[in-house]
Amino acid sequence: MSTPMSVLRRIQERPSLTMILGTGAATLSLLLASIVGAIYVGSQEAPEQEVASANTGDEGGLDFDGSADTLPEGAIVQADGSVIAADGTLIAPPGSRTPVPGRAPGTTPGTAAARPGAAASPGNRTGVSPTTIKWGLHAPVTFDGQPVNLAEDALEGARIYTDTLNAAGGINGRKIELRVADDRYTVAGGRQAANELINDYKAFFVSGTLGVDQVFQVAAEARKQGVPYIAGGGSESIFKDIRMFQVAGSYDTHLELLAKFLGAESRKPSGQSPYAGLTKVGVSMLDSPYIAPSVDVTFRRALKENGLELVAIVKVQKPTEQTTYASQIQTLRDAGTQIFVPAQDPITTGREVAECQSQRCPWTYSFSNFAHEGNTALQLMGGQWIGVKGLAGGCYYQNPNEGNAALCGQLKRAHEEWVRQSGEFEWNKDGQGGLAGYQLVHIWTKALQDAGPDPTRERFTAALLAYRGYDNLVSAPITFAGSDNLSHGYEKGVVYQAGASEYSQVNPGFTDQF
């Protein structure tokens, strides 16, 4: 059975399914800090990193009390007092050097940036001009050419928040030039998007939205060519080695949180939860090697630890390749599934729900991201998800706690910036999915600011690697500093409950306790 035409028509007219950062990660809808004096920078803790190749004053090198006036050629002093070499290596930790009064952070005596006409310091400046920095972003603008745009709201948000950034002067005097490539939600499309953004457009850095198979293709090419890459989702056991900076939460994190949530719900007295007394979980999963470990290993273990059991995993193809799911539904039935969890796109889930409506499937549903927490995604469920509970990466976009950063991050600021650019009506219509754009933009703004007036890919990467508890996001904070697993991401979620066509938020905000 195919997706109802009335719903497909709405998607084509206003394609606004919540973005899956990864094939699914974050609301954010998954899915980040600011220009000095223009956009708020969250409470970034000073990273406690080991000093690499640093000389002390006794050896005639850097005088870390700030009294020395010379630095290695091309080195820069960050706003926090740390010193980064021309190749991006951290050579002195935060607080090591006092910036010279009157000189902007990121410039030091003897550097090309501080000495007009001097030779450029070492480093890769591909995508940087005197006035612009090129940002490449790939997304399923189409499904292999079909106009069903899951990422449309997220892309709208990315444009809105980029425009806000540029209107405030850009970063260190340069405007952000955004190019979006259609990855067509296919592996071949992912390779094509990588070629367009990295080889043709020559972006300084690249970001991905939803579609884990496509994310992997672009990430692999970016790593091969030394291009900084930021995206969401993925199984940590695979993605931790591909050098992708996580913009959201990994699949492992989402499924671990969901297991804790369902365990707590299962233990509630009858009548107090739709999951009371239910312990047998079945998963419908996109047939992807970049999802499988999170489901078969992480989720299985986490469910067992929380008193539940993974009784069946069925694999499905992408919605351009599969339209009926009778055999998968029968397998889940035979296993005694009581709770159905989708680890796939919401188009596929909507089709399965439609088939189950006529077959009277015996289970209830739950979810943790994979783009299911958007209102347009909910409409694909045809009114069959009323009362369903699940987890999202960030607070619902219309929320009385939007001003409480501890509960909802920078939701209030994201709301205000959207309204200044596009108006309250557009926020009410598209803000839920559009919030992903705030995450996509603000994950890198502080790092680009800290890379200084002469940005190189090496300095930008080093600045990202300094993030510790970074919180100018609409998700819970993210840390890269000191981590050997850059794909981990945030560690808390928010509980949503489905109505007929809109979600509501059940708990106050970010939590990992249920």
Side-chain angles (χ1 to χ4, degrees), residues 206-240:
V206 175
S207 299
T209 56
L210 59 92
V212 67
D213 291 342
Q214 295 71 251
V215 164
F216 188 87
Q217 298 303 317
V218 182
E221 184 65 19
R223 180 175 184 177
K224 183 170 71 174
Q225 299 204 36
V227 180
Y229 183 67
I230 307 167
S235 291
E236 291 185 21
S237 61
I238 299 174
F239 275 63
K240 68 182 180 67

Side-chain angles (χ1 to χ4, degrees), residues 314-396:
V314 297
K315 295 181 179 181
V316 300
Q317 304 307 308
K318 292 185 177 182
T320 52
E321 302 168 17
Q322 182 173 349
T323 57
T324 184
Y325 305 89
S327 63
Q328 285 88 353
I329 289 172
Q330 189 59 52
T331 298
L332 293 169
R333 276 181 174 276
D334 292 344
T337 298
Q338 296 173 318
I339 305 173
F340 177 113
V341 172
Q344 60 203 14
D345 62 88
I347 297 282
T348 296
T349 305
R351 291 173 177 173
E352 289 173 326
V353 169
E355 289 194 41
C356 273
Q357 184 178 0
S358 61
Q359 296 184 29
R360 299 183 182 276
C361 295
W363 49 71
T364 188
Y365 298 89
S366 187
F367 64 91
S368 188
N369 215 292
F370 285 88
H372 286 73
E373 65 273 52
N375 288 334
T376 308
L378 179 58
Q379 293 170 16
L380 291 171
M381 309 311 155
Q384 300 303 302
W385 267 30
I386 295 175
V388 166
K389 292 182 179 181
L391 303 180
C395 286
Y396 194 63

Side-chain angles (χ1 to χ4, degrees), residues 380-445:
L380 291 171
M381 309 311 155
Q384 300 303 302
W385 267 30
I386 295 175
V388 166
K389 292 182 179 181
L391 303 180
C395 286
Y396 194 63
Y397 76 124
Q398 294 176 329
N399 192 298
N401 292 328
E402 72 168 17
N404 188 329
L407 294 175
C408 293
Q410 296 305 314
L411 176 58
K412 186 174 188 294
R413 185 166 294 275
H415 182 184
E416 292 171 345
E417 289 184 6
W418 181 295
V419 170
R420 282 199 298 271
Q421 288 290 326
S422 195
E424 189 72 31
F425 176 80
E426 291 297 320
W427 171 260
N428 291 333
K429 182 166 68 76
D430 297 334
Q432 172 73 350
L435 274 174
Y438 190 92
Q439 194 90 349
L440 284 167
V441 169
H442 285 281
I443 187 67
W444 48 257
T445 50

Side-chain angles (χ1 to χ4, degrees), residues 278-303:
L278 306 183
T279 61
K280 296 183 177 181
V281 178
V283 175
S284 179
M285 180 191 80
L286 180 68
D287 188 6
S288 168
Y290 314 121
I291 299 175
S294 299
V295 174
D296 199 20
V297 179
T298 303
F299 196 35
R300 185 184 299 277
R301 181 186 65 244
L303 287 170

Side-chain angles (χ1 to χ4, degrees), residues 75-329:
I76 60 171
V77 177
Q78 305 286 72
D80 60 5
S82 62
V83 181
I84 294 179
D87 64 359
T89 304
L90 181 73
I91 60 174
S96 297
R97 186 174 178 84
T98 304
V100 178
R103 182 177 292 119
T107 64
T108 61
T111 68
R115 192 174 62 233
S121 59
N124 191 323
R125 296 171 178 79
T126 301
V128 176
S129 80
T131 58
T132 64
I133 296 174
K134 291 183 176 181
W135 173 33
L137 178 63
H138 68 95
V141 179
T142 68
F143 263 27
D144 203 14
Q146 298 180 25
V148 182
N149 300 328
L150 287 176
E152 182 65 22
D153 285 356
L155 294 177
E156 180 184 5
R159 293 185 181 100
I160 285 173
Y161 296 115
T162 300
D163 287 347
T164 300
L165 197 65
N166 287 336
I171 295 184
N172 292 324
R174 290 181 174 89
K175 302 294 180 70
I176 304 302
E177 181 182 298
L178 171 60
R179 167 78 67 87
V180 175
D182 180 13
D183 62 34
R184 300 171 66 91
Y185 201 57
T186 66
V187 170
R191 296 192 187 108
Q192 182 179 355
N195 183 62
E196 177 183 341
L197 296 176
I198 295 172
N199 298 320
D200 297 340
Y201 181 56
K202 300 188 184 304
F204 181 68
F205 67 102
V206 175
S207 299
T209 56
L210 59 92
V212 67
D213 291 342
Q214 295 71 251
V215 164
F216 188 87
Q217 298 303 317
V218 182
E221 184 65 19
R223 180 175 184 177
K224 183 170 71 174
Q225 299 204 36
V227 180
Y229 183 67
I230 307 167
S235 291
E236 291 185 21
S237 61
I238 299 174
F239 275 63
K240 68 182 180 67
D241 296 323
I242 203 167
R243 199 68 175 175
M244 179 192 86
F245 287 93
Q246 178 67 256
V247 69
S250 70
Y251 295 158
D252 300 80
T253 294
H254 272 283
L255 293 173
E256 286 175 335
L257 288 173
L258 183 61
K260 291 177 68 174
F261 170 71
L262 291 176
E265 293 289 302
S266 177
R267 292 188 292 271
K268 289 182 177 180
S270 178
Q272 293 189 14
S273 170
Y275 310 100
L278 306 183
T279 61
K280 296 183 177 181
V281 178
V283 175
S284 179
M285 180 191 80
L286 180 68
D287 188 6
S288 168
Y290 314 121
I291 299 175
S294 299
V295 174
D296 199 20
V297 179
T298 303
F299 196 35
R300 185 184 299 277
R301 181 186 65 244
L303 287 170
K304 184 176 181 180
E305 290 172 352
N306 287 277
L308 295 90
E309 179 186 5
L310 181 56
V311 296
I313 301 172
V314 297
K315 295 181 179 181
V316 300
Q317 304 307 308
K318 292 185 177 182
T320 52
E321 302 168 17
Q322 182 173 349
T323 57
T324 184
Y325 305 89
S327 63
Q328 285 88 353
I329 289 172

